[in-house]
Amino acid sequence: MADITKYAAINGGTMISDFGTTKYFSIFSTKRKTASFAYGFIFVFTVFTLFFAFTPSSSNSSSIYSDESYRSHFSPIYYYFFPNSSSSETHNLQPHVGNHTKDGDIMTHTNNATILPKNDKNYTTPSNSSSGLSKGSPIIKNQTESEKQSTIGVTNTTKNFTAEKGVVQNSTSDDLVKSLMNCDLFDGIWVKDESYPLYKPGSCSLIDEQFNCFLNGRPDNEYHKLKWKPKGCTLPRLDGSHMLELLRGKRLVFVGDSLNRNMWESLICILRNSLKDQKKVYEEFGRHHFRTEASYSFVFEDYKCTVEFFVSPFLVQEWEAADKNGTKKETLRLDIIEGFADKYRNADIIVFNTGHWWTHEKTSKGKDYYQEGSHVYSELNVMEAFRKALTTWGRWVDKNVNPKKSLVFFRGYSASHFSGGQWNSGGQCDHETEPIKIETYLTPYPPKMTVLEKVLKGMKTNVTYLNVTRMTDYRKDGHPSIYRKQHLSDEEAKSPLSFQDCSHWCLPGVPDAWNEILYAQLLVKLNQKQLH
C-alpha cells in the first residue's frame, strides 16, 4: 500500500499545487499555461524516473545470483520508491544449475519404473529399453574456473530453511530440481575437485578395514579427489546436515551384498561428519565391525532416523536341500524372498542391489544349486536364474511395499577391474592410479542389468534405477587392491599381489558419488511430495 500511495500523490493535485505557486513559474501570464507546463513537467519526470528504476544495470553477467548481486542489477531509484522491499524477498533465490539436456536425454518413466536413456555403443540394450547412457567420449579433467564457480554455487542446494518438528521449511529451489529432473545423472565425466572428499581420509572410524585404503597404507590420494559431473546438469554436493533433515523421523535401508555395505558405510560417514556432536550417532546394538551380522542399524539420535543395512547378496533365500543320499547341500530358492524382508518392507526409503555373487563359481555354473519349490535344477543357466530371482523380488515389492509411504531404489552393477585373472585367480589392480580416459576401453553393458531393466518395466511399483555401471567402469583406480587390510596372514605375506580386491571401493571414494546421486534423487522426490 505504501507504494500505491506514492503514485497517488502525483495524480491527486497536492504536488501540482506546490509547483503552481512557486516563483519559478511566474513568467507565465495565465494559470492555464502554468498548469499545462506543470502537468507536462510531472509527466516527463515520472516517465524518466520509471525508466531508470526498472532498467537493469550492465553488471548482469554474474552467474551466481546471490542476494547482493541480484539487488545490484537495479537502480537505487527503485529502492527510493519501494523502501519496503526487504532483502528477504530475494534471499531465497538460487542459481540456475546446469542446462537441460536435449530431448533424447530426458528421464523417462516406463510402467512406473524410472529409467534413464542410453544409446552408447559399448552399452547396448534391447531396442525397447529406455535405460542408459548417451554417446560422447568422457575425458577426465580438472575443473575449469567456471565449473568451480558452478560447484560453489550449488554447495547449499536448498533455500534457507528452519526445521520445526521435522518439517523442512522452504524447499529446494525450482531451478535445481528442474535441472535434476531433466538430466541423465549417469552420463558424465569425472573431474578433479580439490574440495573433495566429503570427509577427511582416516577420519571416519566406522569404515570397515576392507575399505579403509588410507589407513591400510595406500600412498596416492588422487582417487578421492574426483567428483562425478553429469553432462546435462550440476550434481549438488551432498549436504549431510540437510540430508539428515530430509531423513528426519525416517528409515533409510540398504539391502544387498557387500557393495551396498560399501555405499551404506560411505553415507554413514558423510552424515556423521556433518554433526558437531558425533556421540549421538551410534549402531543400535553397539557394534563396531560390520561383516559378521545379518543386519546393522545406525541411529542419528537428534533426527530420530536410522540408516540400516541388511545382508542379502541374492535378494532371494539361501537354502538347504537333501540329495538322494539324504545329505544336505546348499541351494538358492529362486521363488522365495530372503528371510529378513518383513523387517524392512515398511521403511521409508529402500535401496536394493544384487549382482556380484552371481559371478561366483557355484552360481555361474548353476549345477544342482538353483531350487524352486521342491525341485532342484540339475543345471540352470545363470541368466535365467537371475531373471527368476529378480522376478520373485519384484513381485514381493509390488505386494508388500506401500508406494505411498516408501521410495524404492535399485542400484545397478558396480564394475570390477581385475587384470590378469579374477578375484579368486590372482587378478590385480594395484598399479592403477588413474581412471580410464578413453571410453573404448570400457566393458560392454552387463547382460544381467538388461534383465534387471526388463523386470523393472514389468513392475507396478515405481522403482528408481541407479544405473552406476558406466560411471564406475571408468574408475579402475578406486579399488582397495592390495590396501585392503593392514595385517596379512602368512599365506598372504608370501604372495601379497595375489590377494587383491578390485571389486569393492576405497572410502572416501566412488560410493560417495553414488550417495550424492541418491541425495539428488531425494531432493527431486521431496519436491514432488513423494516423501510425505
Side-chain angles (χ1 to χ4, degrees):
M1 291 300 295
D3 299 333
I4 297 174
T5 302
K6 283 179 168 46
Y7 282 107
I10 296 176
N11 295 321
T14 302
M15 293 179 67
I16 294 174
S17 175
D18 293 339
F19 277 113
T21 58
T22 185
K23 63 181 178 179
Y24 296 110
F25 291 93
S26 61
I27 60 173
F28 293 100
S29 59
T30 63
K31 293 183 179 181
R32 184 174 182 181
K33 290 182 179 181
T34 300
S36 297
F37 183 85
Y39 274 114
F41 184 85
I42 294 301
F43 176 79
V44 172
F45 177 81
T46 301
V47 171
F48 182 83
T49 300
L50 293 178
F51 174 80
F52 279 98
F54 293 97
T55 300
S57 72
S58 61
S59 61
N60 58 359
S61 60
S62 174
S63 61
I64 306 300
Y65 293 98
S66 66
D67 191 20
E68 290 76 16
S69 64
Y70 176 81
R71 286 198 298 267
S72 69
H73 289 187
F74 299 93
S75 168
I77 298 175
Y78 176 84
Y79 290 100
Y80 177 81
F81 282 101
F82 297 91
N84 294 326
S85 297
S86 66
S87 61
S88 63
E89 294 174 351
T90 59
H91 187 65
N92 287 332
L93 287 174
Q94 293 291 320
H96 179 75
V97 183
N99 297 316
H100 291 187
T101 59
K102 58 181 181 289
D103 293 342
D105 290 337
I106 61 173
M107 185 162 53
T108 59
H109 296 265
T110 307
N111 287 358
N112 293 323
T114 304
I115 297 182
L116 300 163
K118 168 165 67 276
N119 53 17
D120 188 270
K121 63 182 179 181
N122 292 314
Y123 284 72
T124 56
T125 57
S127 58
N128 62 349
S129 172
S130 60
S131 169
L133 305 151
S134 303
K135 291 182 179 180
S137 179
I139 299 174
I140 312 302
K141 64 174 185 177
N142 292 336
Q143 282 186 298
T144 64
E145 206 52 42
S146 61
E147 286 171 335
K148 289 179 181 178
Q149 289 300 320
S150 178
T151 303
I152 294 170
V154 296
T155 298
N156 294 321
T157 57
T158 58
K159 300 175 182 179
N160 290 338
F161 64 86
T162 55
E164 297 179 3
K165 299 181 180 179
V167 178
V168 178
Q169 307 292 332
N170 295 335
S171 61
T172 310
S173 76
D174 291 339
D175 282 346
L176 173 60
V177 171
K178 288 178 182 178
S179 72
L180 294 173
M181 288 178 63
N182 296 319
C183 181
D184 183 348
L185 298 177
F186 307 99
D187 179 21
I189 57 177
W190 290 95
V191 297
K192 187 174 181 180
D193 189 325
E194 292 294 340
S195 70
Y196 277 70
L198 297 172
Y199 48 99
K200 185 178 179 180
S203 66
C204 186
S205 60
L206 306 176
I207 296 177
D208 199 15
E209 181 185 36
Q210 183 184 12
F211 310 143
N212 207 331
C213 303
F214 176 81
L215 291 187
N216 292 337
R218 179 166 176 169
D220 60 306
N221 62 5
E222 295 300 305
Y223 66 91
H224 54 58
K225 290 184 178 295
L226 294 176
K227 171 186 174 63
W228 178 249
K229 187 180 187 305
K231 294 177 182 177
C233 60
T234 298
L235 188 65
R237 186 184 181 93
L238 200 166
D239 183 336
S241 59
H242 179 238
M243 187 166 182
L244 282 169
E245 286 294 347
L246 300 184
L247 298 177
R248 185 179 287 275
K250 296 179 172 60
R251 292 178 67 199
L252 167 57
V253 173
F254 292 87
V255 182
D257 58 28
S258 54
L259 273 298
N260 247 17
R261 176 163 57 88
N262 218 174
M263 184 178 180
W264 170 70
E265 290 187 16
S266 161
L267 185 59
I268 295 295
C269 289
I270 293 170
L271 298 180
R272 181 174 177 264
N273 187 61
S274 70
L275 301 176
K276 293 182 179 180
D277 189 356
Q278 298 185 357
K279 293 181 180 179
K280 293 188 176 181
V281 181
Y282 50 87
E283 204 282 324
E284 183 178 3
F285 302 101
R287 297 164 179 160
H288 299 282
H289 303 284
F290 312 113
R291 299 185 63 181
T292 57
E293 303 296 332
S295 65
Y296 303 91
S297 176
F298 265 91
V299 178
F300 289 80
E301 189 175 297
D302 288 342
Y303 293 86
K304 296 181 173 58
C305 70
T306 58
V307 182
E308 308 168 39
F309 173 59
F310 285 81
V311 180
S312 181
F314 300 106
L315 300 182
V316 290
Q317 186 63 48
E318 295 179 71
W319 205 256
E320 283 186 341
D323 60 16
K324 295 179 180 179
N325 300 322
T327 304
K328 294 283 187 179
K329 62 180 180 181
E330 292 181 353
T331 61
L332 186 65
R333 288 293 298 267
L334 302 176
D335 56 341
I336 300 178
I337 197 71
E338 66 96 4
F340 287 97
D342 280 345
K343 294 184 180 297
Y344 55 74
R345 66 186 181 90
N346 292 321
D348 300 278
I349 304 161
I350 314 174
V351 182
F352 293 96
N353 100 293
T354 188
H356 281 268
W357 280 51
W358 295 87
T359 65
H360 293 183
E361 184 177 4
K362 188 179 295 185
T363 50
S364 60
K365 289 185 176 180
K367 293 183 177 181
D368 296 318
Y369 181 61
Y370 296 118
Q371 180 177 354
E372 285 185 294
S374 59
H375 175 66
V376 178
Y377 291 90
S378 59
E379 187 172 356
L380 183 65
N381 180 274
V382 64
M383 295 297 293
E384 179 61 13
F386 187 73
R387 184 194 65 79
K388 287 176 176 289
L390 281 182
T391 300
T392 296
W393 165 81
R395 288 172 179 169
W396 177 84
V397 170
D398 282 343
K399 183 178 179 180
N400 293 276
V401 177
N402 182 358
K404 294 182 179 180
K405 179 184 187 298
S406 304
L407 292 174
V408 181
F409 296 86
F410 198 108
R411 183 185 56 74
Y413 188 80
S414 166
S416 298
H417 294 94
F418 291 98
S419 176
Q422 292 302 313
W423 65 276
N424 59 347
S425 59
Q428 301 180 8
C429 57
D430 61 292
H431 58 287
E432 304 291 357
T433 57
E434 292 185 354
I436 293 173
K437 299 180 181 180
I438 302 175
E439 65 176 9
T440 54
Y441 293 131
L442 300 177
T443 56
Y445 189 65
K448 290 186 181 68
M449 292 301 96
T450 302
V451 172
L452 168 64
E453 292 175 13
K454 291 181 178 179
V455 171
L456 294 180
K457 290 178 184 178
M459 293 176 62
K460 297 177 182 178
T461 305
N462 182 353
V463 179
T464 301
Y465 179 27
L466 302 177
N467 190 354
V468 303
T469 302
R470 183 184 177 94
M471 66 181 290
T472 56
D473 205 355
Y474 286 107
R475 295 302 307 276
K476 61 184 174 65
D477 63 312
H479 301 289
S481 64
I482 60 175
Y483 306 104
R484 60 190 181 86
K485 58 192 300 187
Q486 295 184 45
H487 304 290
L488 303 180
S489 65
D490 292 340
E491 182 182 4
E492 291 169 337
K494 291 178 182 179
S495 182
L497 296 182
S498 299
F499 298 89
Q500 298 199 22
D501 183 352
C502 305
S503 295
H504 299 97
W505 303 94
C506 297
L507 293 179
V510 171
D512 301 336
W514 303 347
N515 282 313
E516 287 200 305
I517 291 175
L518 177 62
Y519 174 60
Q521 293 281 11
L522 293 179
L523 293 178
V524 172
K525 303 298 183 184
L526 176 64
N527 185 265
Q528 296 173 337
K529 298 183 179 179
Q530 293 188 23
L531 282 176
H532 299 292

